Amino acid sequence: MLLIPCPYCGPRPELEFRHAGEAHVVRDPSLSSDAAWGAFLYARSNTRGVIAERWRHASGCGRFFNCLRDTVSDNILQTYKTGEPRPDLALDAATRRQLGDVAPDQSVAATEAAR
Amino acid sequence: MNAPFRTPTGGRVDRGATRRFSFDGRSYDGLAGDTLASALLSHGVHLVGRSFKYHRPRGFLAAGSEEPNALTSVNRGGGRVTPNLRMTQVELYDGMEARSQNHWPSLAFDVGAVNGLMSPIFAAGFYYKTFMGPKFMRGPGLWAKLFEPAIRRAAGLGVAADEGDPDVYANRFVHCDVLVVGAGPAGIAAALAAGRAGKQIILCDEGAELGGALLAEPKLEIEGRPAAAWLAATLRDLAAMPNVTALPRTQAFGYYGHNLVALAERLTDHLPGVDTTVPRERMWQVRAAEVVLATGAIERPLVFPGNDRPGVMLAEAGRVFLNRYGVKAGSRAVVATAHDSAYRVALDLQAAGVTIAAIVDLRERPTGPLVEQARGAGLRIVTGGTVMGTKGHWRVSEATVAHVSGDHVTDLQRIPCDLLLMSGGWTPSIHLFSQSRGVIAYDTATEMFIPGKAVQAQRSAGSCRGLFGFADVLADGYAAGLDAAGAAGGDAPALGDKAFAVRGDDAYGPGGFSGALPISGDGARAKAFVDFQNDVTAKDIKLATREGFRSIEHIKRYTTTGMATDQGKTSNLNALAIAAKALNEPVPAVGLTTFRQPFTPVTFGTFAGMSRGQMFDPVRQTPIHDWAAAHGAEFEDVSLWKRAHYFPEPGEDMHAAVDRECRRTRESAGLFDASTLGKIEVAGPDAAEFLNRLYPNSWTKLGVGRCRYGLMLNEAGFIMDDGVVGRLAPDRFHVTTTTGGAPRVLNHMEDYLQTEFPDLKVWLTSTTDQWAVIAVQGPRARDILLPLIDDVDMSAAAMPHMAIRLGHICGVPMRLFRVSFTGELGFEVNVPADYGRAVWEAIWSEGRAYDAVAYGTEAMHVLRAEKGYIIVGQDTDGTMTPDDVGLGGMVAKQKPDFVGMRSLTRPFLTGEGRKQLVGLLPDDDAIVLDEGAQIVDRAEVPNGTHALGHVTSSYRSGVVGRSIALAVVERGRSRMGETLFIPMPGGSIPAKIVSPVFYDPQGERLNG
């Protein structure tokens, strides 16, 4: 069970949250291309590594927010409010550890090695 | 009662406190502090179980949680039967009733043992070969008639209780700075260090007493005190720290993401009697900033023929039974070893009066202080020796020992014994580390798998990371505790590393042997067990490699080694070594299987906790529920709600009741409890604009005091919900949703409001539970309500269809909607939920004069189907557009944007051939079609026939006088009058496509 730092309430167990799909998928109803609109509706990145995704603190403050999560290690690197740009990941080691990310750089490699 | 194998002194048992118990109906006594295993051994009882497949007699292999053989069912009465408990962990209490498992008719005489003769059939991959092998073994015939019944009878562990579990279970969520798993020397030292650093600590251990290996060390001294005294003083120190929680009898069974560790605490199973005021077990979900794993090491069995006989035991288990419980596991022992630690066992047992017939050491030239001590004590050592086999039926009676080199056997000797202690060395217990996704490393120097890089905030300490010797383990634990305390952050006093002065430790190091011991001949009939609980032999694993399995994960699943409830604690490494040798690859190249939760079995009760019975799932009831129940309603579940399904009168079945309810509603009036409808208050200066963007209809022009039907689309353009939206004020709307869709709709609205339209000033509030809703439908609806309402002009002119008024009913504030889901004149009375019952009863009394009925959800379904009104989720399936259900005209053409608008222009949604909602009349008007039945265009249906659609709603309609149905059919609206077919097992049913409105197609009754 993930420990998710809600940007409004602080760290809370995953039980209180609802996943809400990939973040930063831009809704543009003026798109004229049906293929592009179809991709907006259905095509998602399915990233191996760090993904930006949306969560809702459904059993808490009710707010939607964004989250950077490593899909390999399941570590959450950062959460941030809706509307804010996706942060770059140049975090210092202390912040990373505080966010529960022990070894983000090695996590992919470690999982590789374990295979 | 005389316990012949109890030593006169020693151990941690309380010799003044007798505990009587029964095993398989026979009475024994033991002592306080005993486990069921040590108490039985004190009476010389070794035969305690039958193996899983072959029903071979089995005894105790171990003294702790790794025990694979000695499983028991303990019955505490009243449905309190717990099967598959490890006797080595079952604490004895007075009056315990325990039974052995997996045998018939008795433990000593078990018919199932005939399976042993059939072992060639039950070899590795038996299940796969049976399902996928030659045709004569496959198919329903042989499997269903022969194999499955035979296996079901023969194989298995204990039997679960067939009554409900009457006990109470608890659940607790905790955060702590440092969780220390395992309270052996490393764990205690870690807790001591982290505790002194002022951190919030949880220290847990699976055992009844904290101390681990220290509990079986009478000669050891730590910091100048006997180990037992040091342990007691240290535990007192820990208990005195308010920041330390020590949990004995608490198994850390699962290590999950983000440092969540699940603990199962056993609270009452060690106590006599039943106390229902306290929970039996408690699940702890611990979220630890830092974790110290101090899970110790498990001794490895040696794999030789007959290594599973009762009386063949892990060497250290013999020492634990002696030193901790004061029980000699036998009187004449052979010690087979590949490691120094068994010498320590031989010396302790000899000192207690057990004859050590021989130490058989696999190594050609064993050396070291322990070996010298054994030589000095006059013990006979056979070097370079192996065990070729054992004899004895219900207990080992003889070991065949020899020197084997290739096929060359010398020095063959048969040594009589009643105990065979074996040691292949020690396997660090890395289960939890592996569960935490840590990378396992192979240390070539010590030939051990040890924790490599941690990927969560944790470290391993002590023998679980391959350290030996109490001084090293204690110092390592202390250092790990300090490290964890520092990593947990915050202020911590500067504490230095600490050395622990230790005397009397017969130190030994790594080493040992894994794999199958060399034996002469091909060993084709030899049963040298690797996995005792699943009856997997060395031969099975070799067979799997011969049949082409190379991955250890595949070998595991094919042979089932390591897949029993003991999770391969004693078997994994031997299986791996045998597979590696057979594949001619180095051990680390073959690799270890992934360890899975739980470490030891956990009861379902512990997982369920309080979530049982009424607490399992919330039940929602409307304010009118009790009235409905008192008036004989049958209820149905709709999402979490209980809804009145129909109100049968005496002698009526459902059809009769529904028929009457529908008829009276159309003739006079019906009352319907619609309180379960979802309700959302949409308020704010931009409320109308928000609804414009959320619904395909236009809301700007909806006047105050008016309401409108709204279809809600998802972004893909498909119908996701529907309901009525009323405008109470320029900036306030009352939105209703379907009963099951309320949370989904609110989430959908919040999503768009927060993320797509954050510029809009709108506030959303769920008011589902705040309003009771009473639908009064039928030509007499107004007449019934009029006497109760005096501040609303309800006349047809003043309050037309789709009007909404604020007022009072029976003096209670009310939102009155003139809406209809029946096609009749209708009102929906919304009152605060607390007044729902009183207002319902007032309306009901008025209705008596008109012979009005209360109707349930079934009549509601029929009444709306007669009018062709859809139910979202029944007549739609998540792929239907407004046009598909005939409501295309509702979609505003001039709006700049609404959710789903862009998608409605996609070619797939506008193209030919879409399924459309139509009515369906079976040619035989008595046939009520099955909902969900497929629709085709021909009476004969060859394979591959294209289905044109399916039946979505189907009822017998009293007012139409025949069966009716709604369906979605390809190009349905262009097929009016066509006959299509519904293929059913009894033959195809012809039905005609018609308009979905079966009753009052002009809609005149609405305007009454």
Side-chain angles (χ1 to χ4, degrees):
Chain A
M1 183 166 57
L2 307 177
L3 186 68
I4 302 175
C6 171
Y8 303 94
C9 308
R12 295 286 189 279
E14 187 181 342
L15 288 175
E16 298 183 8
F17 296 85
R18 230 23 89 64
H19 192 262
E22 191 168 351
H24 305 299
V25 179
V26 177
R27 177 182 185 271
D28 178 8
S30 69
L31 279 176
S32 58
S33 154
D34 284 321
W37 182 255
F40 157 76
L41 289 177
Y42 299 114
R44 294 295 178 265
S45 66
N46 197 23
T47 306
R48 184 170 193 277
V50 177
I51 185 175
E53 61 191 8
R54 306 188 320 132
W55 288 84
R56 183 182 183 212
H57 195 185
S59 302
C61 63
R63 304 293 287 268
F64 285 83
F65 58 90
N66 294 331
C67 168
L68 294 182
R69 183 174 59 92
D70 184 337
T71 59
V72 177
S73 69
D74 245 1
N75 286 329
I76 289 173
L77 310 181
Q78 191 164 344
T79 55
Y80 52 103
K81 295 177 181 176
T82 296
E84 291 177 356
R86 175 176 172 153
D88 70 22
L89 275 177
L91 304 171
D92 60 75
T95 313
R96 285 188 164 190
R97 191 167 183 90
Q98 198 187 347
L99 292 167
D101 186 30
V102 178
D105 298 331
Q106 282 86 17
S107 60
V108 175
T111 312
E112 292 279 62
R115 270 168 212 281
Chain B
M1 193 193 287
N2 183 28
F5 291 90
R6 183 80 69 179
T7 59
T9 58
R12 300 177 69 88
V13 287
D14 181 352
R15 285 162 193 277
T18 302
R19 297 283 180 262
R20 296 192 191 285
F21 69 102
S22 76
F23 180 67
D24 282 348
R26 194 172 156 188
S27 293
Y28 299 93
D29 58 20
L31 299 173
D34 260 330
T35 61
L36 180 58
S38 65
L40 284 169
L41 281 174
S42 77
H43 294 279
V45 176
H46 277 258
L47 172 64
V48 290
R50 288 278 178 168
S51 73
F52 184 68
K53 264 199 305 194
Y54 304 132
H55 289 244
R56 287 168 68 96
R58 288 284 167 83
F60 304 99
L61 180 72
S65 64
E66 71 272 33
E67 173 62 43
N69 292 332
L71 303 182
T72 186
S73 295
V74 176
N75 186 353
R76 299 171 76 90
R80 294 178 173 83
V81 180
T82 313
N84 303 337
L85 292 170
R86 295 151 303 282
M87 297 183 195
T88 49
Q89 284 191 298
V90 173
E91 293 174 62
L92 205 63
Y93 58 80
D94 214 37
M96 172 178 285
E97 280 179 43
R99 295 206 159 266
S100 56
Q101 301 183 159
N102 199 30
H103 51 70
W104 184 85
S106 75
L107 180 57
F109 177 75
D110 178 7
V111 167
V114 72
N115 284 6
L117 304 175
M118 294 170 69
S119 61
I121 289 180
F122 288 131
F126 166 73
Y127 295 94
Y128 304 98
K129 286 166 182 162
T130 308
F131 283 121
M132 309 176 73
K135 201 160 188 179
F136 75 92
M137 289 184 76
R138 244 190 297 148
L142 267 181
W143 175 256
K145 291 197 178 69
L146 175 65
F147 290 119
E148 193 186 358
I151 291 166
R152 278 193 187 281
R153 266 199 308 276
L157 298 168
V159 179
D162 49 12
E163 298 168 63
D165 185 342
D167 284 320
V168 178
Y169 297 83
N171 195 344
R172 188 173 283 181
F173 293 86
V174 192
H175 289 259
C176 68
D177 294 322
V178 180
L179 169 69
V180 182
V181 178
I188 285 175
L192 202 57
R196 283 175 179 164
K199 297 298 173 192
Q200 290 294 328
I201 313 294
I202 292 175
L203 170 67
C204 70
D205 192 275
E206 61 185 14
E209 287 188 90
L210 303 183
L214 296 175
L215 299 170
E217 293 292 345
K219 288 181 299 188
L220 186 72
E221 284 184 15
I222 303 174
E223 297 184 311
R225 280 187 283 187
W230 180 88
L231 175 63
T234 306
L235 291 178
R236 272 197 305 277
D237 289 349
L238 288 172
M241 295 184 194
N243 54 326
V244 176
T245 304
L247 299 171
R249 302 185 179 91
T250 303
Q251 179 72 62
F253 66 83
Y255 200 133
Y256 302 89
H258 293 199
N259 256 13
L260 182 78
V261 183
L263 319 178
E265 182 185 14
R266 306 183 300 277
L267 292 159
T268 59
D269 269 8
H270 61 292
L271 301 172
V274 171
D275 181 354
T276 52
T277 63
V278 289
R280 176 182 172 224
E281 293 179 0
R282 176 182 290 134
M283 165 96 80
W284 294 70
Q285 295 184 57
V286 181
R287 186 78 70 168
E290 298 289 329
V291 172
V292 177
L293 293 177
T295 48
I298 293 171
E299 198 168 22
R300 243 179 354 263
L302 293 171
V303 179
F304 54 84
N307 63 344
D308 67 324
R309 280 187 214 290
V312 181
M313 193 181 282
L314 290 170
E316 187 67 15
R319 185 163 172 269
V320 169
F321 284 122
L322 178 68
N323 289 343
R324 180 167 173 187
Y325 302 103
V327 171
K328 292 181 283 189
S331 47
R332 183 180 164 85
V334 168
V335 179
T337 186
H339 192 259
D340 286 354
S341 71
Y343 284 79
R344 191 174 70 153
V345 179
L347 288 162
D348 280 8
L349 261 62
Q350 188 198 33
V354 177
T355 304
I356 304 298
I359 298 176
V360 182
D361 198 323
L362 192 64
R363 299 170 295 182
E364 292 289 346
R365 269 176 291 280
T367 55
L370 275 165
V371 181
E372 296 317 314
Q373 270 188 60
R375 289 207 171 97
L379 295 183
R380 180 173 156 233
I381 301 172
V382 180
T383 59
T386 183
V387 182
M388 301 262 295
T390 62
K391 274 194 174 174
H393 186 53
W394 292 335
R395 171 105 180 247
V396 66
S397 62
E398 183 184 283
T400 306
V401 169
H403 188 280
V404 174
S405 169
D407 277 342
H408 194 58
V409 180
T410 51
D411 300 331
L412 188 84
Q413 47 189 318
R414 302 179 192 282
I415 307 175
C417 60
D418 63 359
L419 180 65
L420 202 170
L421 297 169
M422 57 182 168
S423 175
W426 292 84
T427 307
S429 193
I430 52 176
H431 301 69
L432 288 174
F433 177 81
S434 171
Q435 288 179 16
S436 79
R437 298 190 184 180
V439 181
I440 293 166
Y442 186 74
D443 187 89
T444 41
T446 58
E447 298 186 335
M448 286 190 295
F449 283 100
I450 54 174
K453 182 155 190 59
V455 300
Q456 299 205 40
Q458 50 127 300
R459 71 280 302 132
S460 296
S463 50
C464 71
R465 73 179 191 98
L467 295 181
F468 294 88
F470 284 106
D472 287 354
V473 165
L474 285 161
D476 191 51
Y478 198 86
L482 285 184
D483 180 53
D491 295 329
L495 297 171
D497 278 352
K498 179 172 162 57
F500 290 81
V502 168
R503 288 181 53 198
D505 184 11
D506 299 317
Y508 54 87
F513 180 82
S514 44
L517 292 193
I519 52 171
S520 65
D522 64 355
R525 311 265 327 157
K527 286 212 182 66
F529 283 88
V530 177
D531 185 318
F532 292 83
Q533 201 171 82
N534 264 356
D535 269 357
V536 180
T537 64
K539 194 178 58 188
D540 291 326
I541 294 167
K542 291 176 197 160
L543 176 66
T545 63
R546 279 205 306 280
E547 292 186 355
F549 291 93
R550 306 191 68 80
S551 157
I552 193 67
E553 294 284 2
H554 291 155
I555 292 168
K556 166 181 167 174
R557 283 155 183 80
Y558 193 60
T559 62
T560 73
T561 185
M563 289 175 70
T565 65
D566 68 342
Q567 287 277 294
K569 291 182 183 65
T570 55
S571 64
N572 277 346
L573 218 62
N574 281 330
L576 172 58
I578 292 166
K581 190 174 175 199
L583 294 168
N584 202 20
E585 287 197 58
V587 163
V590 177
L592 212 51
T593 56
T594 307
F595 292 93
R596 308 284 178 195
Q597 302 94 350
F599 179 75
T600 49
V602 181
T603 61
F604 282 114
T606 302
F607 282 109
M610 302 293 286
S611 302
R612 300 165 62 190
Q614 290 198 322
M615 305 284 277
F616 177 68
D617 215 11
V619 172
R620 301 178 79 182
Q621 295 179 350
T622 74
I624 297 149
H625 180 93
D626 291 346
W627 185 94
H631 285 73
E634 295 289 333
F635 290 91
E636 68 166 343
D637 291 337
V638 181
S639 67
L640 296 175
W641 291 98
K642 295 283 177 198
R643 300 196 73 179
H645 194 197
Y646 55 99
F647 291 83
E649 291 192 337
E652 278 186 337
D653 63 3
M654 182 170 113
H655 278 300
V658 168
D659 220 50
R660 174 180 50 76
E661 290 168 21
C662 291
R663 185 166 35 81
R664 289 304 304 156
T665 300
R666 294 220 184 275
E667 287 171 4
S668 171
L671 269 64
F672 177 67
D673 178 5
S675 304
T676 62
L677 285 182
K679 280 143 272 175
I680 298 167
E681 193 94 341
V682 179
D686 296 322
E689 175 57 19
F690 178 68
L691 294 177
N692 268 340
R693 297 191 198 178
L694 260 287
Y695 286 89
N697 334 40
S698 175
W699 301 94
T700 320
K701 289 182 189 152
L702 181 72
V704 171
R706 299 290 299 171
C707 54
R708 183 172 287 171
Y709 175 72
L711 267 182
M712 179 166 269
L713 307 186
N714 61 19
E715 193 63 270
F718 298 127
I719 297 168
M720 65 172 279
D721 207 87
D722 67 353
V724 167
V725 179
R727 191 164 201 171
L728 303 167
D731 60 353
R732 183 177 290 265
F733 292 82
H734 178 121
V735 174
T736 67
T737 75
T738 60
T739 294
R744 189 165 54 239
V745 169
L746 183 60
N747 188 72
H748 178 78
M749 286 183 167
E750 283 284 359
D751 194 348
Y752 279 90
L753 179 60
Q754 291 182 32
T755 68
E756 293 297 338
F757 314 131
D759 51 308
L760 297 183
K761 293 189 178 65
V762 177
W763 195 257
L764 305 171
T765 309
S766 166
T767 54
T768 301
D769 290 317
Q770 277 64 40
W771 294 106
V773 184
I774 303 160
V776 187
Q777 302 276 312
R780 293 296 192 178
R782 185 185 289 111
D783 301 329
I784 292 171
L785 288 172
L786 265 177
L788 303 172
I789 300 170
D790 48 21
D791 56 356
V792 174
D793 182 353
M794 293 174 66
S795 65
M799 189 174 180
H801 184 54
M802 300 309 266
I804 174 173
R805 297 288 180 268
L806 303 184
H808 291 80
I809 182 167
C810 312
V812 174
M814 162 190 72
R815 290 179 179 178
L816 182 65
F817 287 68
R818 182 166 168 197
V819 288
S820 173
F821 200 41
T822 58
E824 303 295 333
L825 167 69
F827 294 90
E828 289 187 0
V829 178
N830 287 253
V831 291
D834 286 352
Y835 297 104
R837 169 96 187 248
V839 172
W840 171 280
E841 290 192 30
I843 299 173
W844 176 252
S845 338
E846 290 297 328
R848 303 309 295 156
Y850 303 93
D851 202 15
V853 289
Y855 66 92
T857 50
E858 188 64 22
M860 179 269 280
H861 274 77
V862 175
L863 291 166
R864 65 88 204 177
E866 289 167 348
K867 288 293 298 173
Y869 297 152
I870 61 162
I871 287 185
V872 173
Q874 176 164 343
D875 302 295
T876 71
D877 61 0
T879 66
M880 304 292 287
T881 66
D883 185 61
D884 293 343
V885 297
L887 297 173
M890 192 173 279
V891 179
K893 304 289 182 290
Q894 301 299 324
K895 286 208 287 185
D897 183 22
F898 61 83
V899 176
M901 185 186 81
R902 173 65 183 84
S903 293
L904 289 177
T905 66
R906 300 181 71 212
F908 174 67
L909 271 63
T910 55
E912 290 294 306
R914 293 210 45 96
K915 290 178 184 170
Q916 296 168 332
L917 185 80
V918 293
L920 209 52
L921 292 176
D923 288 2
D924 179 346
D925 63 14
I927 290 181
V928 178
L929 296 169
D930 282 8
E931 289 174 356
Q934 299 293 307
I935 299 169
V936 295
D937 61 0
R938 65 203 68 180
E940 295 300 316
V941 190
N943 277 350
T945 301
H946 177 65
L948 296 170
H950 66 278
V951 178
T952 60
S953 296
S954 176
Y955 311 94
R956 188 183 315 279
S957 164
V959 70
V960 183
R962 56 158 302 146
S963 61
I964 58 169
L966 297 175
V968 291
V969 176
E970 265 179 35
R971 299 188 310 280
R973 288 199 292 270
S974 66
R975 292 177 187 268
M976 289 298 149
E978 245 180 70
T979 294
L980 296 177
F981 297 88
I982 293 89
M984 296 301 291
S988 271
I989 302 167
K992 197 166 70 175
I993 303 275
V994 296
S995 154
V997 185
F998 298 96
Y999 181 66
D1000 184 26
Q1002 305 309 317
E1004 286 156 354
R1005 300 181 65 88
L1006 277 176
N1007 302 316

